Amino acid sequence: MAEDDTRSLAEAADLAAQLRVDSIRASTSSGSGHPTSSLSAADLLAVLVLRHLRYDWNHPSTATNDHLIYSKGHASPLVYSVLRATGQISEEELLTGYRRFGQRLQGHPTPVLPWVDVATGSLGQGLPDGVGIALAGKYLEKLPYRVWVLCGDSEMAEGSIWEALDKASHYELGNLVVIVDVNRLGQRGATALGWDLDAYARRTEAFGARVLTVDGHDLAAIDAALHDVDSGQDDRPTVILARTVKGKGVAEVEDSPDWHGKPLPGDLAEEAIEALGGVREMTVTSIAPPQAESVEGPAESPAESPATSSDTSSDTSSDTDPAATPDTGAGAEQHSSQPDAATATASSQRSGAVMPRYRHSDRVATRKAYGAALVALGEIDPLVVGLDAEVSNSTGAGAFAEAFPDRFFEMFIAEQQLIAAATGMAVRGFKPFASTFAAFLSRAFDFIRMGAITGADLRIVGSHAGVEIGADGPSQMALEDLAMMRSVLGSTVLYPSDAPSTVALVAQMADIGGISYLRTTRGSYPVIYGPAEEFPIGGSKILRSNGMDDVTVVGAGVTVHECIGAADLLAREGIGARVIDCYSVKPIDVDTLAEAVRHTGGRLVIAEDHHPEGGLGEAVIAALTDVEDVGALSVRHLAVRDLPGSGTAAELLEAAGLSAGRIARAARELFDERDAEHDAQGNVR
Amino acid sequence: MAEDDTRSLAEAADLAAQLRVDSIRASTSSGSGHPTSSLSAADLLAVLVLRHLRYDWNHPSTATNDHLIYSKGHASPLVYSVLRATGQISEEELLTGYRRFGQRLQGHPTPVLPWVDVATGSLGQGLPDGVGIALAGKYLEKLPYRVWVLCGDSEMAEGSIWEALDKASHYELGNLVVIVDVNRLGQRGATALGWDLDAYARRTEAFGARVLTVDGHDLAAIDAALHDVDSGQDDRPTVILARTVKGKGVAEVEDSPDWHGKPLPGDLAEEAIEALGGVREMTVTSIAPPQAESVEGPAESPAESPATSSDTSSDTSSDTDPAATPDTGAGAEQHSSQPDAATATASSQRSGAVMPRYRHSDRVATRKAYGAALVALGEIDPLVVGLDAEVSNSTGAGAFAEAFPDRFFEMFIAEQQLIAAATGMAVRGFKPFASTFAAFLSRAFDFIRMGAITGADLRIVGSHAGVEIGADGPSQMALEDLAMMRSVLGSTVLYPSDAPSTVALVAQMADIGGISYLRTTRGSYPVIYGPAEEFPIGGSKILRSNGMDDVTVVGAGVTVHECIGAADLLAREGIGARVIDCYSVKPIDVDTLAEAVRHTGGRLVIAEDHHPEGGLGEAVIAALTDVEDVGALSVRHLAVRDLPGSGTAAELLEAAGLSAGRIARAARELFDERDAEHDAQGNVR
């Protein structure tokens, strides 16, 4: 940092007062928000943005810009006050746009604003996301930016904070600086540790951080700590513990447990603003980020950074385009990210012969096919990154880890950090594929949900789905994951039945916007499709049909094989089954499904290795209900309705009613019923 | 501990060899399982069960029994080998029942076995559950039992472990002892910290534990540490860090990263058993648990323990009933727990006048009604316990915390531990109600899922559902929670629209088995129902109907009020709407719904403040599809389909298409369509 870029501590005091005044004004104007949580951190932010944050505010997409993440997202009045001080939003927007309908200054910050990397507001997520960005900066982009994260003290109770610090020290993220605003008060009262900064210091130090403790309202002390960061970083992440006072600067609310999330009433706000010296018009100027060339890269850097061959890391620090957008590809409105040049090239190459191929005689687990496909993708697309939560030898990701050790990140058994790291990498323009057992993705649901609000393009892969896994028992069986992933805003949910369809879907995942999910199976099953077959997202495949079908039988993943078996059984009895492989669960191929049930008199059997709620069955039924001329349906919905135990895959599928025999029986029942109805009306079928 | 109860270290060595031999035999016999993860902990367990665990094996329901939780549930061969040594299962069961279909010796232990408190297998959960049991023991039951938890080192990477240790020290759980089997190897290779026991010691100490470090294969050292626990406990939880060797005792697999989760092949197993001295028939005798009277209760104990007035804490240490079942009320097959005497009394009192009442002119938030109802329940049912994740002033639980401080547990911002603590308390027979913002329950999905496998009766309450919350924005809006909670095995999902229905449903939750979920709303809405109205689980209410209805309009929670408004709008146009309040989302009242759509020509509008997948809409449609004679449906499914921002509740409901006006418009469209169809056929309506 060049000293002449920066401004004096007297100016920082002025800025801190302005941030306080503006935080009060924004929240009082909207009658909603968290001013006291903003006031405690105003001094910290004033010194940071005025003297240490290397950030070109006019060009937030600048590759070497530092990153500033508000993990305590409820301090949004402070976030927006900083943006006004940096000239990015107007006073009018601050006073009329905060927390209002249709406005971008939302209750908690989201990447609708180009200066915001990730949506926060679910506590304990900003830091894990920041670890993801810091991983990208150090190992993938090799850029000299730093990642600053402002945490609240309450959120230090979240386990995800400790997963993040654990990984930050394991991966030697000296580029990560965490500032903890220890104002001792949570929403409903005191935190468990209060102002015991020593306790926080012991914990963060034990987790491998370099820890600095400061009075969070002593500008010189704050500055000294941040200067220490500027000049003295090693390979440890830095944690700055700042003792602060909630509501600092407004005597009436200081250190009071009764003022969380409450704007000051108009008269109190006026007095407070007066006492703070009134409205100011100070402007923060950018501190130029360093040129990428100036970075002293770690000697142990991987040889070739994927990012250096893409526009993600192009030197845009001299970028003068005022319309520059963030380089995240994310943003709440942007679920379909624009493919960049590198992606477009990769996409076109993807149609080539590099993807793995399988023969009809092969028996292959889709989780293995996933690994093979990811390796192939890695060859042609330098932005593809792999992450796994200590089960890469089971999920298939191990093949990628072996082929591309520089682009694979072991997150150990920490599923929240797994998804957060992927989110941070996606924010930086990479294409993370994050895998673990599908059952354990439930650990990270809140992170996936918030990833959707961030608008991050996350590829998530869950293996060992359903009772099919067999002997390991119910703790390892994902039976809720389709419901979970379908419920995520804008998500894509894929569930292939064989190796070629897996490969085709994984290839497309590289280019899907938003949250995409691939569900894979433990066991090895026959290859169904030829290598030239295409599997468009939102499509399906008709696997059995003779034009005279009597019943529609729908499966996905492992049940497709059982549905084929059921069709064979039914054929012997003269019943024609149209078997549909619903490999795209969301979006679902409603046209093919509607055509099938029209053709088969509304008779429909659906078989899924999942609980009955929220999965394939409800997806199919809900989609058909949207079609006006489908008519009445006669449905048998086969799903896992009881608690399974251990057993073989065959035993457990049979017990759950998902075997070929049970599917055929369900289909047969639809005819028996129809017969019974006809009988009641004096007719015969 | 009376010394004469215990056996010598030489016997412990014998027992350790037997546990190793049996772990090998069980897993080799089934061709599946984790013998090497069992071998590393065999010495620890041998010394523990032979000399320190105060447990009446013949009477696992004994109230003063210690608890032994295998957080590393994949060490199930060791679990079952211990059970054989204690005479609880036969050699035959061990060798023919392990991991087989229909057997109770599952891949990971579950409470199908009366000696198992909680299902494990999703790592990082046994310790948090154990914290819940220890909380119950210290503060609710005031019994002298200890809670022993065997953790793997890999799972120390889960944030939930640190949430658990944080709470264990905050609540001064000197009755909790964590033994960490540091064998340095995870599933796919070395852990991040390997054998760096100092690092583990720094971390666990910083989190407030008393830490002992031992060689996990030195029986005398183990015994000294456990003796230290017996004699020297203070108010800190104890963590024993044991340096162990994975596969210890079988030279071919010791400390090898290639043998995770792999049984030894038959020949290697035979050699290993031979080298270990062959099959043994040693029997572990019980060490009598102390009498409840002998407990030196903490001086600061709450005055009246709820449990002392119920049979949960009755002195059953002299219980000689050989058919005694665990006192958990849990168990995989037991989703409906048997109400005990105290419960039956409470239930009968519940129909009395103590529950809060509301007038039609009141406007009350259902979250506030929840708090009031919980206080009333607390008055009549001493087993009711409240827990919250630092938002009790928002969820309504604060009222219970004030009324019953001795039965309320603040879990701070740690949602995983919130649910785990509730699970532990449910295991001990209490009736925990755990609340936080519904959005943040997604943080605990894996714990809820595992709670269902445990068979725990958990009452979960999520406030601030949907876009209705307004200004705080999408990070705080639960829009996936109905999908999540419906997908849980055996769950009950409730979503009341007003205060009286909330009270009635909360009262019933006290007696529901399995996982029950109540979704509440932020804003205040008019009271709809009278105080005498009943709201059976699985029921619904028809709020508008004149016998000549043209369209069925279904809502739940906040949308019920909009549906009523829509019916009023439609009535002015001569369209009769039958409005149904689907307060019970799972199970759903299919009869009333079917009757309504039959009556209204299949015309159906569903409005839910939730994403379209997995919530009320799909629940209704799937249920109707199960009814054979319902006929074709014409459905408008109104749900939140785009990313919301900030705004007022009214603005956001309107934008999501959930306002009375938008619901009425959707209903109108169903007639327009019907008209258009008729027109196409040359008819007029």
mmCIF file of all heavy atoms in Angstrom, chain B residues 440-460:
data_model
loop_
_atom_site.group_PDB
_atom_site.id
_atom_site.type_symbol
_atom_site.label_atom_id
_atom_site.label_comp_id
_atom_site.label_asym_id
_atom_site.label_seq_id
_atom_site.Cartn_x
_atom_site.Cartn_y
_atom_site.Cartn_z
ATOM 1 N N PHE B 440 -33.627 -20.821 9.020
ATOM 2 C CA PHE B 440 -32.360 -21.312 9.558
ATOM 3 C C PHE B 440 -32.448 -22.759 10.028
ATOM 4 O O PHE B 440 -31.427 -23.369 10.349
ATOM 5 C CB PHE B 440 -31.868 -20.382 10.668
ATOM 6 C CG PHE B 440 -31.789 -18.951 10.218
ATOM 7 C CD1 PHE B 440 -32.167 -17.907 11.043
ATOM 8 C CD2 PHE B 440 -31.375 -18.641 8.927
ATOM 9 C CE1 PHE B 440 -32.123 -16.592 10.607
ATOM 10 C CE2 PHE B 440 -31.320 -17.327 8.480
ATOM 11 C CZ PHE B 440 -31.695 -16.293 9.323
ATOM 12 N N LEU B 441 -33.630 -23.319 10.058
ATOM 13 C CA LEU B 441 -33.749 -24.749 10.333
ATOM 14 C C LEU B 441 -33.075 -25.557 9.233
ATOM 15 O O LEU B 441 -32.679 -26.704 9.457
ATOM 16 C CB LEU B 441 -35.223 -25.154 10.463
ATOM 17 C CG LEU B 441 -35.891 -24.698 11.760
ATOM 18 C CD1 LEU B 441 -37.393 -24.947 11.680
ATOM 19 C CD2 LEU B 441 -35.297 -25.427 12.968
ATOM 20 N N SER B 442 -32.936 -24.952 8.050
ATOM 21 C CA SER B 442 -32.245 -25.654 6.968
ATOM 22 C C SER B 442 -30.814 -25.990 7.388
ATOM 23 O O SER B 442 -30.217 -26.927 6.863
ATOM 24 C CB SER B 442 -32.253 -24.820 5.686
ATOM 25 O OG SER B 442 -31.643 -23.559 5.903
ATOM 26 N N ARG B 443 -30.275 -25.210 8.335
ATOM 27 C CA ARG B 443 -28.932 -25.484 8.856
ATOM 28 C C ARG B 443 -28.866 -26.852 9.546
ATOM 29 O O ARG B 443 -27.802 -27.450 9.644
ATOM 30 C CB ARG B 443 -28.619 -24.380 9.875
ATOM 31 C CG ARG B 443 -27.184 -24.088 10.123
ATOM 32 C CD ARG B 443 -26.548 -23.432 8.936
ATOM 33 N NE ARG B 443 -25.320 -22.747 9.246
ATOM 34 C CZ ARG B 443 -25.173 -21.432 9.220
ATOM 35 N NH1 ARG B 443 -26.163 -20.654 8.892
ATOM 36 N NH2 ARG B 443 -24.008 -20.897 9.465
ATOM 37 N N ALA B 444 -30.007 -27.299 10.038
ATOM 38 C CA ALA B 444 -30.039 -28.498 10.882
ATOM 39 C C ALA B 444 -30.717 -29.684 10.197
ATOM 40 O O ALA B 444 -31.080 -30.654 10.854
ATOM 41 C CB ALA B 444 -30.754 -28.187 12.191
ATOM 42 N N PHE B 445 -30.852 -29.609 8.872
ATOM 43 C CA PHE B 445 -31.623 -30.650 8.179
ATOM 44 C C PHE B 445 -31.050 -32.037 8.458
ATOM 45 O O PHE B 445 -31.800 -32.995 8.722
ATOM 46 C CB PHE B 445 -31.636 -30.359 6.677
ATOM 47 C CG PHE B 445 -32.581 -31.213 5.870
ATOM 48 C CD1 PHE B 445 -33.572 -31.982 6.467
ATOM 49 C CD2 PHE B 445 -32.488 -31.236 4.480
ATOM 50 C CE1 PHE B 445 -34.447 -32.752 5.702
ATOM 51 C CE2 PHE B 445 -33.362 -32.001 3.709
ATOM 52 C CZ PHE B 445 -34.323 -32.771 4.326
ATOM 53 N N ASP B 446 -29.744 -32.170 8.430
ATOM 54 C CA ASP B 446 -29.164 -33.507 8.633
ATOM 55 C C ASP B 446 -29.480 -34.023 10.040
ATOM 56 O O ASP B 446 -29.676 -35.224 10.242
ATOM 57 C CB ASP B 446 -27.653 -33.453 8.412
ATOM 58 C CG ASP B 446 -27.047 -34.838 8.170
ATOM 59 O OD1 ASP B 446 -27.753 -35.718 7.654
ATOM 60 O OD2 ASP B 446 -25.866 -35.036 8.496
ATOM 61 N N PHE B 447 -29.537 -33.107 11.001
ATOM 62 C CA PHE B 447 -29.863 -33.515 12.375
ATOM 63 C C PHE B 447 -31.335 -33.914 12.502
ATOM 64 O O PHE B 447 -31.674 -34.829 13.254
ATOM 65 C CB PHE B 447 -29.522 -32.388 13.356
ATOM 66 C CG PHE B 447 -28.046 -32.266 13.598
ATOM 67 C CD1 PHE B 447 -27.219 -31.697 12.638
ATOM 68 C CD2 PHE B 447 -27.468 -32.754 14.759
ATOM 69 C CE1 PHE B 447 -25.845 -31.609 12.841
ATOM 70 C CE2 PHE B 447 -26.096 -32.671 14.965
ATOM 71 C CZ PHE B 447 -25.288 -32.092 14.004
ATOM 72 N N ILE B 448 -32.193 -33.225 11.779
ATOM 73 C CA ILE B 448 -33.612 -33.574 11.793
ATOM 74 C C ILE B 448 -33.807 -34.944 11.141
ATOM 75 O O ILE B 448 -34.530 -35.810 11.659
ATOM 76 C CB ILE B 448 -34.425 -32.487 11.064
ATOM 77 C CG1 ILE B 448 -34.294 -31.139 11.804
ATOM 78 C CG2 ILE B 448 -35.887 -32.903 10.929
ATOM 79 C CD1 ILE B 448 -34.831 -29.943 11.027
ATOM 80 N N ARG B 449 -33.136 -35.132 10.004
ATOM 81 C CA ARG B 449 -33.179 -36.420 9.291
ATOM 82 C C ARG B 449 -32.715 -37.555 10.210
ATOM 83 O O ARG B 449 -33.379 -38.601 10.305
ATOM 84 C CB ARG B 449 -32.250 -36.308 8.075
ATOM 85 C CG ARG B 449 -32.127 -37.513 7.207
ATOM 86 C CD ARG B 449 -31.116 -37.278 6.077
ATOM 87 N NE ARG B 449 -29.737 -37.377 6.520
ATOM 88 C CZ ARG B 449 -29.034 -38.520 6.616
ATOM 89 N NH1 ARG B 449 -29.600 -39.662 6.268
ATOM 90 N NH2 ARG B 449 -27.791 -38.517 7.042
ATOM 91 N N MET B 450 -31.613 -37.355 10.884
ATOM 92 C CA MET B 450 -31.104 -38.399 11.779
ATOM 93 C C MET B 450 -32.012 -38.574 13.002
ATOM 94 O O MET B 450 -32.140 -39.683 13.529
ATOM 95 C CB MET B 450 -29.676 -38.078 12.216
ATOM 96 C CG MET B 450 -28.627 -38.206 11.117
ATOM 97 S SD MET B 450 -28.422 -39.888 10.456
ATOM 98 C CE MET B 450 -27.757 -40.736 11.902
ATOM 99 N N GLY B 451 -32.627 -37.481 13.439
ATOM 100 C CA GLY B 451 -33.588 -37.577 14.542
ATOM 101 C C GLY B 451 -34.725 -38.523 14.189
ATOM 102 O O GLY B 451 -35.216 -39.280 15.043
ATOM 103 N N ALA B 452 -35.144 -38.499 12.933
ATOM 104 C CA ALA B 452 -36.206 -39.404 12.488
ATOM 105 C C ALA B 452 -35.724 -40.854 12.536
ATOM 106 O O ALA B 452 -36.488 -41.757 12.873
ATOM 107 C CB ALA B 452 -36.675 -39.032 11.087
ATOM 108 N N ILE B 453 -34.466 -41.086 12.197
ATOM 109 C CA ILE B 453 -33.931 -42.453 12.244
ATOM 110 C C ILE B 453 -33.804 -42.908 13.702
ATOM 111 O O ILE B 453 -34.070 -44.061 14.030
ATOM 112 C CB ILE B 453 -32.582 -42.532 11.491
ATOM 113 C CG1 ILE B 453 -32.793 -42.172 10.010
ATOM 114 C CG2 ILE B 453 -31.967 -43.927 11.621
ATOM 115 C CD1 ILE B 453 -31.516 -42.075 9.199
ATOM 116 N N THR B 454 -33.418 -41.983 14.564
ATOM 117 C CA THR B 454 -33.385 -42.292 16.001
ATOM 118 C C THR B 454 -34.776 -42.631 16.520
ATOM 119 O O THR B 454 -34.935 -43.391 17.470
ATOM 120 C CB THR B 454 -32.793 -41.091 16.781
ATOM 121 O OG1 THR B 454 -31.393 -41.023 16.522
ATOM 122 C CG2 THR B 454 -33.019 -41.208 18.277
ATOM 123 N N GLY B 455 -35.790 -42.067 15.858
ATOM 124 C CA GLY B 455 -37.145 -42.238 16.360
ATOM 125 C C GLY B 455 -37.459 -41.248 17.461
ATOM 126 O O GLY B 455 -38.366 -41.460 18.275
ATOM 127 N N ALA B 456 -36.713 -40.156 17.493
ATOM 128 C CA ALA B 456 -36.927 -39.148 18.536
ATOM 129 C C ALA B 456 -38.218 -38.379 18.276
ATOM 130 O O ALA B 456 -38.559 -38.106 17.127
ATOM 131 C CB ALA B 456 -35.746 -38.177 18.571
ATOM 132 N N ASP B 457 -38.905 -38.042 19.346
ATOM 133 C CA ASP B 457 -40.101 -37.207 19.244
ATOM 134 C C ASP B 457 -39.653 -35.756 19.402
ATOM 135 O O ASP B 457 -39.481 -35.267 20.517
ATOM 136 C CB ASP B 457 -41.111 -37.574 20.333
ATOM 137 C CG ASP B 457 -41.554 -39.032 20.225
ATOM 138 O OD1 ASP B 457 -41.418 -39.622 19.133
ATOM 139 O OD2 ASP B 457 -42.019 -39.586 21.237
ATOM 140 N N LEU B 458 -39.454 -35.074 18.293
ATOM 141 C CA LEU B 458 -38.967 -33.698 18.307
ATOM 142 C C LEU B 458 -40.058 -32.750 17.853
ATOM 143 O O LEU B 458 -40.688 -32.990 16.823
ATOM 144 C CB LEU B 458 -37.780 -33.535 17.347
ATOM 145 C CG LEU B 458 -36.549 -34.387 17.573
ATOM 146 C CD1 LEU B 458 -35.482 -34.027 16.534
ATOM 147 C CD2 LEU B 458 -36.016 -34.180 18.977
ATOM 148 N N ARG B 459 -40.265 -31.706 18.617
ATOM 149 C CA ARG B 459 -41.208 -30.648 18.216
ATOM 150 C C ARG B 459 -40.370 -29.474 17.736
ATOM 151 O O ARG B 459 -39.599 -28.898 18.510
ATOM 152 C CB ARG B 459 -42.083 -30.206 19.383
ATOM 153 C CG ARG B 459 -43.067 -31.268 19.865
ATOM 154 C CD ARG B 459 -42.530 -32.032 21.021
ATOM 155 N NE ARG B 459 -43.406 -33.126 21.428
ATOM 156 C CZ ARG B 459 -42.958 -34.229 22.010
ATOM 157 N NH1 ARG B 459 -41.675 -34.408 22.255
ATOM 158 N NH2 ARG B 459 -43.794 -35.173 22.338
ATOM 159 N N ILE B 460 -40.531 -29.132 16.476
ATOM 160 C CA ILE B 460 -39.707 -28.097 15.862
ATOM 161 C C ILE B 460 -40.621 -26.974 15.400
ATOM 162 O O ILE B 460 -41.666 -27.221 14.791
ATOM 163 C CB ILE B 460 -38.910 -28.698 14.683
ATOM 164 C CG1 ILE B 460 -38.016 -29.836 15.197
ATOM 165 C CG2 ILE B 460 -38.093 -27.626 13.991
ATOM 166 C CD1 ILE B 460 -37.282 -30.585 14.108
#
